[in-house]
Amino acid sequence: MTKNRVVDWALAEYMAFGSFLKEGIHVRLSGQDVERGTFSHRHHVLHDQEVDKRTCVPMNHLWEQQAPYTVCNSSLSEYGVLGFELGFAMASPNALVCWEAQFGDFHNTAQCIIDQFISSGQAKWVRHNGIVLLLPHGMEGMGPEHSSARPERFLQMSNDDSDAYPFSEQFEVSQLYECNWIVVNCSTPANYFHVLRRQILLPFRKPLIILTPKSLLRHPEAKSSFDEMVSGTTFQRVIPENGLAAHAPHEVKRVIFCTGKVYYDLVKERKNQDLEKLVAITRLEQISPFPFDLLKEELEKYPGADLVWCQEEHKNSGYYDYVKPRFRTIVNHTRPIWYVGREPAAAAATGNKNTHLVSLRRFLDTAFNLEAFEGKT
């Protein structure tokens, strides 16, 4: 990959961590299977095949003068471990402290730490904390306990006002300063690299919730070029459409807004239906605080298009309830934002692979049926 100047997810993370170590910033990663990575993609600890318990962490041997990299598998107690890491991050504001759930669903046994300390800690005790939660998330037919990091819970606890649309010269950074935490769902390795680096480069600390990928770890399209990671590049809160649709915006019939993995399903389906000129797809990478300013530019670019929010999660979970009023605020309630995705459900996902594929097919058909919302109010 380095020969071809491209990175996948694991290499982008490795480069973010490595760049910090070179700069003297301690990086700490803990969780239930983080040394290898739940999806066998990380391999940060090498084990001697002959000598029991003899291990090597190559990232601790990169430079003579470097910060330490601590990577440790934890016991199966999300509650205890997340509480410990929160304390570690509070005591070490200049370290990058990450806790990774084995699957994003499992953070619910640490809900008490999230509710009482992470989401409201600054408001209650005026203490900043820069802990990073890595929560593998995505509907992939793996059943209700291995699909959803419950993004709707984090969004519902965000203090970002859906009706206030403040403008200021420093809008992006003042939003970050005023929020209680940051929720992102990156669709490219480069953006993941940048959001990890931004966490330390900001002049203040906020908890960062990252919905991380599973199948995208090995997806052939989910790669980034070195050119997106060199000096002068930054984290993109929104990745706008940059294909055929963007070159003739007045011909575009529909703009689909989405976040995370579903983008790759949508792009593939759009190509199959030959709708690349008529449908634009824009990715929301930072969900909270909401990037009002960038989305306003996108909405104004396509004045005659239907606006659609597409998600792979069920309607009562995911992001729709959070993004809908904010989109409506941007357009001053003059245009609807239609929902495309799975129906409401009590469980986070189906346990039946066929049901999963049928519901995926159904919402992709709706997403690209340009008459789906005609005559509706």
Side-chain angles (χ1 to χ4, degrees):
M1 281 190 291
T2 49
K3 211 175 280 179
N4 296 328
R5 290 176 55 82
V6 295
V7 297
D8 66 359
W9 227 268
L11 186 56
E13 179 184 74
Y14 204 92
M15 287 166 77
F17 288 178
S19 66
F20 278 146
L21 300 177
K22 189 175 187 182
E23 292 164 19
I25 289 157
H26 176 199
V27 177
R28 175 180 172 82
L29 174 65
S30 90
Q32 285 159 8
D33 197 2
V34 295
E35 296 177 7
R36 179 196 64 150
T38 298
F39 309 99
S40 200
H41 65 287
R42 193 174 274 133
H43 303 295
H44 283 186
V45 179
L46 305 180
H47 293 258
D48 194 316
Q49 298 299 291
E50 308 287 324
V51 184
D52 189 37
K53 294 188 178 175
R54 184 167 179 240
T55 59
C56 170
V57 180
M59 227 192 291
N60 277 322
H61 305 280
L62 299 175
W63 296 280
E64 276 186 25
Q65 298 286 318
Q66 69 163 73
Y69 174 49
T70 312
V71 55
C72 40
N73 288 345
S74 72
S75 62
L76 298 181
S77 165
E78 293 83 4
Y79 179 39
V81 176
L82 186 55
F84 179 83
E85 298 304 332
L86 181 81
F88 199 107
M90 192 161 280
S92 311
N94 292 322
L96 183 72
V97 180
C98 306
W99 174 75
E100 182 174 69
Q102 197 166 27
F103 281 82
D105 318 53
F106 304 168
H107 79 255
N108 62 1
T109 64
Q111 198 70 51
C112 170
I113 299 292
I114 292 165
D115 290 352
Q116 293 186 245
F117 294 89
I118 301 181
S119 110
S120 55
Q122 187 186 338
K124 291 194 284 198
W125 302 300
V126 204
R127 291 292 300 273
H128 280 213
N129 197 302
I131 191 166
V132 180
L133 271 58
L134 303 173
L135 306 176
H137 171 84
M139 305 287 136
E140 289 164 10
M142 291 184 73
E145 268 59 82
H146 296 82
S147 294
S148 176
R150 294 285 190 185
E152 65 279 1
R153 293 186 181 167
F154 293 99
L155 296 173
Q156 192 249 335
M157 287 192 282
S158 295
N159 66 357
D160 168 47
D161 187 353
S162 61
D163 299 317
Y165 180 17
F167 263 103
S168 67
E169 283 178 28
Q170 300 290 323
F171 184 67
E172 179 180 357
V173 77
S174 65
Q175 260 198 325
L176 291 174
Y177 183 71
E178 285 158 16
C179 73
N180 61 322
W181 58 17
I182 302 160
V183 182
V184 303
N185 188 354
C186 301
S187 63
T188 69
N191 236 15
Y192 177 52
F193 165 88
H194 281 303
V195 83
L196 288 172
R197 289 197 39 87
R198 184 181 76 170
Q199 190 64 1
I200 289 292
L201 296 171
L202 284 171
F204 48 82
R205 294 288 170 261
K206 297 285 173 175
L208 173 63
I209 317 300
I210 308 182
L211 303 167
T212 56
K214 294 175 287 185
S215 63
L216 288 194
L217 294 169
R218 294 179 175 80
H219 195 294
E221 302 295 314
K223 299 261 168 65
S224 294
S225 153
F226 280 12
D227 298 335
E228 297 166 66
M229 299 162 69
V230 292
S231 298
T233 58
T234 56
F235 174 67
Q236 290 180 273
R237 291 174 293 148
V238 170
I239 302 181
E241 170 64 52
N242 61 1
L244 294 172
H247 301 308
H250 286 276
E251 291 174 27
V252 171
K253 295 278 186 278
R254 176 168 295 172
V255 186
I256 299 176
F257 295 93
C258 64
T259 186
K261 173 183 79 74
V262 73
Y263 168 76
Y264 292 93
D265 296 323
L266 290 167
V267 165
K268 185 179 173 190
E269 184 64 24
R270 178 174 67 174
K271 191 173 185 187
N272 290 346
Q273 295 202 26
D274 197 22
L275 288 169
E276 285 161 313
K277 283 185 176 172
L278 297 178
V279 179
I281 304 174
T282 292
R283 286 171 269 178
L284 188 55
E285 302 278 297
Q286 177 179 294
I287 307 151
S288 181
F290 196 70
F292 284 100
D293 50 337
L294 300 180
L295 289 171
K296 188 170 194 285
E297 289 173 20
E298 278 300 284
L299 291 166
E300 287 170 353
K301 197 190 291 179
Y302 304 102
D306 275 349
L307 308 179
V308 165
W309 175 263
C310 182
Q311 63 179 39
E312 56 178 4
E313 295 82 2
H314 291 283
K315 191 175 183 178
N316 58 324
S317 50
Y319 324 88
Y320 182 62
D321 286 340
Y322 176 86
V323 302
K324 182 183 176 180
R326 288 163 177 80
F327 273 110
R328 300 279 284 148
T329 295
I330 296 173
V331 297
N332 202 15
H333 299 271
T334 55
R335 296 163 77 181
I337 174 108
W338 301 107
Y339 171 78
V340 172
R342 291 185 166 93
E343 297 293 311
T350 175
N352 181 298
K353 185 78 176 186
N354 188 54
T355 307
H356 165 78
L357 293 172
V358 167
S359 59
L360 172 66
R361 178 73 262 150
R362 190 177 294 146
F363 83 71
L364 286 177
D365 285 345
T366 308
F368 293 99
N369 171 5
L370 299 181
E371 276 123 45
F373 305 109
E374 260 185 26
K376 291 192 178 180
T377 56

